[in-house]
Amino acid sequence: MFSVCVRGHVMIAHSFRGELFGPAQRLHGATYVVDAEFRARELGPEGVVVDIGRASQALAAILEQLNFKNLDEEPAFAQQNTTTEFLARVLFERLATRIRAGELGPGSERLAALRVTLHESHVAWAAYEGPLSGGRSAAV
Amino acid sequence: MFSVCVRGHVMIAHSFRGELFGPAQRLHGATYVVDAEFRARELGPEGVVVDIGRASQALAAILEQLNFKNLDEEPAFAQQNTTTEFLARVLFERLATRIRAGELGPGSERLAALRVTLHESHVAWAAYEGPLSGGRSAAV
Amino acid sequence: MFSVCVRGHVMIAHSFRGELFGPAQRLHGATYVVDAEFRARELGPEGVVVDIGRASQALAAILEQLNFKNLDEEPAFAQQNTTTEFLARVLFERLATRIRAGELGPGSERLAALRVTLHESHVAWAAYEGPLSGGRSAAV
Amino acid sequence: MFSVCVRGHVMIAHSFRGELFGPAQRLHGATYVVDAEFRARELGPEGVVVDIGRASQALAAILEQLNFKNLDEEPAFAQQNTTTEFLARVLFERLATRIRAGELGPGSERLAALRVTLHESHVAWAAYEGPLSGGRSAAV
Amino acid sequence: MFSVCVRGHVMIAHSFRGELFGPAQRLHGATYVVDAEFRARELGPEGVVVDIGRASQALAAILEQLNFKNLDEEPAFAQQNTTTEFLARVLFERLATRIRAGELGPGSERLAALRVTLHESHVAWAAYEGPLSGGRSAAV
Amino acid sequence: MFSVCVRGHVMIAHSFRGELFGPAQRLHGATYVVDAEFRARELGPEGVVVDIGRASQALAAILEQLNFKNLDEEPAFAQQNTTTEFLARVLFERLATRIRAGELGPGSERLAALRVTLHESHVAWAAYEGPLSGGRSAAV
């Protein structure tokens, strides 16, 4: 199995509901350094898993949708705690949608799986990974 | 599959038995920067894999048992080389025991797998990962 | 010149005023991974620049004052853009005050200088450094 | 499953063919920081996945074959784009060959899988992982 | 003294002349992860050392001049070994020229000093730092 | 001012005397990831601050003297707490001695200053820096 990973980042505000979260129930924020790892069983004719330029642009595009925003006010996340793990899945789904729409170019149908990791500090991160419908599922 | 990871560290002394280890047969020591990655197929109602506060405390508690100690004198490790990979499994088992005892709070029965990684320098690390009996096993 | 550095982190929300800031004029947030570097020309009798336990606690205490807060609502920062460089100086001053009050224990009068660095992402950081009145100033 | 990982690096020149690569069609170069992760289901009698000294030497040996070279002139890569993901597989195969030849010492027949990761900058990396014929295949 | 730092990267090919360089006399290449640290004694009215957007663009612009190139063929470096430390000074001078030309916007005359660091692997880096004529020189 | 930095690491055991150290009074250990930064005002004819190969060897040689040892039993450190900051100075002095002895080759008389940093975990480091007698002192 091959992997290619690109990195971006996003800075957001939000708050959480539930006693579980203690002081994080207050409005606060985070920088998420975001890794998107694309996996494929075979390389394309150019020798790549995916066009890394298009992959970086797709990651940047989905991060731009959240960047410098208060997630508490985003209709898409109404009634949701936008925890790091929840956001990892959101970014996974948005990237998967772009992949299925062909935005990553010819050969992206080879992509078998995707993993999105959000580093929220030097001591904590979260991730979501899953198969992509366009490819033969990897062990995810 | 979702993941949440927390980080801690521990500083220990030990020595190894066996020609394989060369100068590491002498009493020496290490800082281990330790990552504990918790995995679950679904999020709980609060939108989390696990209560990250409790997860950090559980990791800190098992590291405290080893911190500032000479592992050569620990009865639990008698006749054992406390290599980085061996310690990764020890920490995995101790954390798994706490998970099964409910120490990570309601919802920890959702946890499917655990990975413990020990970074011993900027050029070497070791890990142990496995399924947790309380959850449906992931591809580990 | 000796240095000892300890690390912590803080997660806050804020917004900026001024066209210069573009989309960062919206309410957003950041994780700051914070390094506090203490400098002294000589070591104390125990062989330390400063009691690293007390230094870590002092850093944690000043970070706790900001943690999980919306800085736009903090009276201390009224009419101020809480940029990364501005916050570096705030944390410098708050830590310097604690040092001068003797909170870091005997020997802290030896401290000559302090540098506070805030990492806001994998591609940007800011810092403030200056002499401490209790010591002979270093080249800062 | 246990893992042990060692790190090395290599500095090479190369160019790519295909419009996909834009300016990277020109002769340029890269530093690859390379991680080799060895996996086994059980530890050997000494408590190790693999002799880490031999593992480091084997990694260094395969990196030395490429170090300070223009890959465009290497017969082994004729008519190939030596992309990061392609090189990850090359290094995987060369390391797997050494493992099968017994170069990593007694017990290396326990190795079940191998993952080779090449970090090409602070914002991109690629990897190749697969089972090793000498062991029971892991979920790779 | 305040600092603000931004990061970029560049991938180049080159070779060195002189027995000192051993195998690095062959054509090879490197990824340089480049930090540009801007220093000022005071903040401007917006609370910044420098417009970080313009600073990032200026760094990106000078890196673009070298990116995906064979430095052996660059007229600007004829008869020069383009070592990491030499390139640190080149990037320092090119950035200083842009600062003096006002490219970083109003307030950039406050900048007192600049440090450019090139990380060439996980085990080596080089830097060049110096005062900027537009400001009161810092201890560089 | 130019800098070139190389990295190595060392694994040791030790204990501390004094109530200040709490549980660190017990025999324990540490991995120190060690950076040696060499500074010079001018480059030599080859375009380097120092022969990086010789610099790496000199660093490795002084680390080897401590590696896999119990520092409590080293006559050189009798009656001393081998704290991270103390060890930073020890390594500084040992490296400075080798520089003055000409071990880093022709041109090492240009070296103006040296900084040795020991990273002891992901949350703490210490350093010692000072001028070198063979060069014009930098702002250290």
Side-chain angles (χ1 to χ4, degrees):
Chain A
M1 179 67 71
F2 291 94
S3 290
V4 162
C5 185
V6 293
R7 176 168 281 193
H9 76 287
V10 64
M11 303 176 87
I12 57 87
H14 60 172
S15 62
F16 298 140
R17 279 160 304 131
E19 283 184 24
L20 175 76
F21 296 101
Q25 294 176 82
R26 301 196 297 250
L27 182 67
H28 63 285
T31 308
Y32 297 116
V33 174
V34 182
D35 290 326
E37 177 186 350
F38 303 84
R39 296 186 190 145
R41 291 205 174 272
E42 301 297 337
L43 299 182
E46 302 90 346
V48 300
V49 165
V50 68
D51 179 342
I52 197 172
R54 290 194 185 202
S56 295
Q57 285 166 9
L59 176 61
I62 62 169
L63 294 179
E64 196 53 36
Q65 293 171 340
L66 303 183
N67 207 17
F68 298 122
K69 293 208 175 147
N70 178 356
L71 302 187
D72 292 354
E73 299 176 350
E74 289 293 293
F77 306 139
Q79 310 302 323
Q80 288 285 351
N81 279 325
T82 53
T83 59
T84 312
E85 47 268 59
F86 173 84
L87 290 172
R89 182 165 198 167
V90 168
L91 294 174
F92 172 93
E93 296 294 356
R94 292 186 179 182
L95 208 40
T97 299
R98 287 172 183 258
I99 291 167
R100 283 190 291 264
E103 209 171 295
L104 270 65
S108 58
E109 69 283 357
R110 269 194 325 273
L111 292 174
L114 176 65
R115 180 181 171 97
V116 176
T117 306
L118 278 71
H119 305 268
E120 76 175 59
S121 74
H122 65 305
V123 291
W125 57 260
Y128 184 78
E129 61 182 286
L132 291 169
S133 58
R136 208 154 44 95
S137 171
V140 294
Chain B
M1 179 65 72
F2 292 93
S3 291
V4 162
C5 185
V6 293
R7 175 168 282 193
H9 75 286
V10 64
M11 303 177 87
I12 57 87
H14 58 174
S15 63
F16 297 141
R17 278 159 305 131
E19 283 184 25
L20 175 75
F21 296 101
Q25 295 176 81
R26 300 197 296 251
L27 182 66
H28 63 287
T31 307
Y32 296 115
V33 175
V34 182
D35 289 326
E37 178 188 349
F38 303 84
R39 296 184 191 147
R41 292 208 173 269
E42 302 297 338
L43 299 183
E46 301 90 346
V48 301
V49 166
V50 68
D51 179 342
I52 198 173
R54 289 195 185 200
S56 295
Q57 285 166 10
L59 176 61
I62 61 170
L63 294 179
E64 196 53 37
Q65 294 170 340
L66 303 183
N67 207 17
F68 297 123
K69 292 205 176 149
N70 178 356
L71 302 187
D72 293 354
E73 298 176 351
E74 289 293 293
F77 307 138
Q79 311 301 323
Q80 287 287 349
N81 279 324
T82 54
T83 61
T84 312
E85 47 269 59
F86 173 84
L87 290 173
R89 182 164 198 168
V90 167
L91 293 174
F92 172 94
E93 297 293 357
R94 292 185 179 183
L95 208 41
T97 298
R98 285 170 183 258
I99 292 168
R100 283 190 292 263
E103 209 172 297
L104 270 63
S108 60
E109 69 282 357
R110 272 193 324 272
L111 293 174
L114 177 65
R115 178 180 171 99
V116 176
T117 306
L118 278 71
H119 305 267
E120 74 173 61
S121 75
H122 65 305
V123 292
W125 55 262
Y128 183 79
E129 63 182 286
L132 291 170
S133 57
R136 210 152 44 92
S137 169
V140 294
Chain C
M1 178 67 71
F2 291 93
S3 290
V4 162
C5 185
V6 293
R7 176 168 282 194
H9 76 286
V10 64
M11 304 178 86
I12 56 87
H14 60 173
S15 63
F16 297 140
R17 279 160 304 133
E19 284 183 24
L20 176 76
F21 297 101
Q25 295 176 81
R26 300 196 298 251
L27 182 66
H28 63 286
T31 307
Y32 297 116
V33 175
V34 182
D35 290 326
E37 177 186 349
F38 302 85
R39 295 184 191 147
R41 291 206 174 272
E42 302 297 338
L43 298 183
E46 301 90 346
V48 300
V49 165
V50 67
D51 179 341
I52 198 173
R54 289 195 184 200
S56 295
Q57 285 167 9
L59 176 61
I62 63 170
L63 294 178
E64 195 53 35
Q65 293 172 340
L66 304 182
N67 206 17
F68 297 122
K69 292 208 174 146
N70 178 356
L71 302 187
D72 293 355
E73 298 176 352
E74 288 294 293
F77 308 139
Q79 311 301 323
Q80 287 286 350
N81 279 325
T82 53
T83 59
T84 312
E85 47 268 58
F86 173 84
L87 289 173
R89 181 164 198 168
V90 167
L91 293 174
F92 171 94
E93 295 294 357
R94 292 185 179 182
L95 208 40
T97 298
R98 286 172 183 258
I99 291 167
R100 283 190 291 264
E103 210 172 293
L104 270 65
S108 59
E109 69 283 356
R110 271 194 324 272
L111 292 174
L114 177 65
R115 179 182 171 96
V116 176
T117 305
L118 278 71
H119 304 268
E120 77 174 59
S121 75
H122 66 305
V123 292
W125 56 261
Y128 183 78
E129 62 181 287
L132 291 170
S133 58
R136 209 154 42 94
S137 169
V140 293
Chain D
M1 178 67 70
F2 292 94
S3 290
V4 162
C5 185
V6 293
R7 176 168 280 193
H9 75 286
V10 64
M11 304 177 86
I12 57 86
H14 59 173
S15 63
F16 297 141
R17 278 158 305 130
E19 284 183 24
L20 175 76
F21 296 101
Q25 294 175 83
R26 300 196 297 251
L27 182 66
H28 63 286
T31 308
Y32 296 116
V33 174
V34 182
D35 289 326
E37 177 187 349
F38 303 85
R39 296 185 190 146
R41 292 206 174 269
E42 302 296 338
L43 298 183
E46 302 90 346
V48 300
V49 165
V50 67
D51 179 342
I52 198 173
R54 288 195 185 199
S56 295
Q57 285 166 9
L59 176 61
I62 62 171
L63 294 179
E64 195 53 36
Q65 293 171 340
L66 303 182
N67 207 17
F68 297 122
K69 293 206 175 149
N70 178 357
L71 302 187
D72 293 354
E73 298 177 352
E74 289 293 293
F77 307 137
Q79 310 302 322
Q80 288 287 348
N81 279 324
T82 53
T83 60
T84 312
E85 48 267 60
F86 173 84
L87 290 173
R89 182 164 198 167
V90 167
L91 293 174
F92 172 94
E93 296 294 356
R94 292 185 178 182
L95 208 42
T97 299
R98 286 173 184 257
I99 291 167
R100 282 190 293 264
E103 208 171 299
L104 270 65
S108 59
E109 70 283 355
R110 270 193 326 273
L111 292 174
L114 176 64
R115 179 180 171 98
V116 176
T117 305
L118 278 70
H119 304 267
E120 75 175 58
S121 74
H122 65 306
V123 292
W125 55 261
Y128 184 78
E129 61 182 285
L132 291 170
S133 58
R136 207 154 45 94
S137 170
V140 294
Chain E
M1 178 66 72
F2 291 94
S3 290
V4 162
C5 184
V6 292
R7 176 168 281 191
H9 75 285
V10 64
M11 302 177 87
I12 56 87
H14 59 174
S15 63
F16 297 141
R17 279 159 302 130
E19 285 183 24
L20 175 76
F21 296 101
Q25 295 175 82
R26 302 196 296 251
L27 183 65
H28 64 285
T31 307
Y32 296 115
V33 175
V34 182
D35 290 325
E37 177 187 349
F38 302 84
R39 295 184 191 148
R41 292 206 172 269
E42 303 296 337
L43 299 183
E46 300 90 347
V48 300
V49 165
V50 68
D51 180 342
I52 198 173
R54 289 195 185 200
S56 295
Q57 285 166 9
L59 176 60
I62 62 170
L63 294 179
E64 196 53 38
Q65 293 171 340
L66 303 183
N67 207 17
F68 297 122
K69 292 207 174 149
N70 178 356
L71 302 187
D72 293 354
E73 297 176 352
E74 289 293 293
F77 307 137
Q79 312 300 322
Q80 287 286 349
N81 278 326
T82 54
T83 60
T84 312
E85 47 267 61
F86 174 83
L87 289 172
R89 181 164 199 167
V90 167
L91 294 174
F92 172 94
E93 296 293 357
R94 291 184 180 184
L95 207 41
T97 298
R98 286 170 183 259
I99 291 168
R100 282 189 293 264
E103 208 171 297
L104 270 64
S108 60
E109 69 282 357
R110 271 193 323 274
L111 293 174
L114 177 65
R115 179 180 171 99
V116 176
T117 306
L118 278 71
H119 304 268
E120 75 174 60
S121 75
H122 65 305
V123 292
W125 56 261
Y128 183 79
E129 62 182 284
L132 291 170
S133 57
R136 208 151 46 92
S137 169
V140 294
Chain F
M1 177 67 71
F2 291 94
S3 290
V4 162
C5 185
V6 293
R7 177 168 279 193
H9 76 285
V10 64
M11 304 178 87
I12 57 86
H14 60 172
S15 63
F16 298 141
R17 278 159 305 131
E19 285 183 23
L20 176 75
F21 296 101
Q25 294 175 82
R26 300 196 297 251
L27 182 66
H28 63 286
T31 307
Y32 295 117
V33 174
V34 182
D35 289 326
E37 177 187 350
F38 302 85
R39 296 185 190 147
R41 293 206 173 270
E42 304 296 338
L43 298 183
E46 301 91 345
V48 299
V49 165
V50 67
D51 179 342
I52 198 173
R54 288 194 184 201
S56 295
Q57 285 166 9
L59 176 61
I62 62 170
L63 294 178
E64 195 53 37
Q65 293 171 340
L66 304 182
N67 207 17
F68 297 122
K69 292 206 175 151
N70 178 357
L71 302 187
D72 293 353
E73 298 176 350
E74 288 293 293
F77 307 138
Q79 311 301 323
Q80 287 287 348
N81 278 326
T82 53
T83 60
T84 312
E85 47 268 60
F86 173 84
L87 290 173
R89 183 165 197 166
V90 167
L91 293 175
F92 172 94
E93 297 294 356
R94 292 186 178 182
L95 208 41
T97 298
R98 286 172 184 257
I99 291 168
R100 282 190 293 263
E103 209 171 296
L104 270 65
S108 59
E109 69 283 356
R110 271 193 325 272
L111 292 174
L114 176 64
R115 179 180 171 98
V116 176
T117 305
L118 278 70
H119 304 267
E120 75 174 60
S121 75
H122 66 306
V123 292
W125 56 259
Y128 184 78
E129 61 181 286
L132 291 170
S133 58
R136 207 153 44 96
S137 169
V140 294

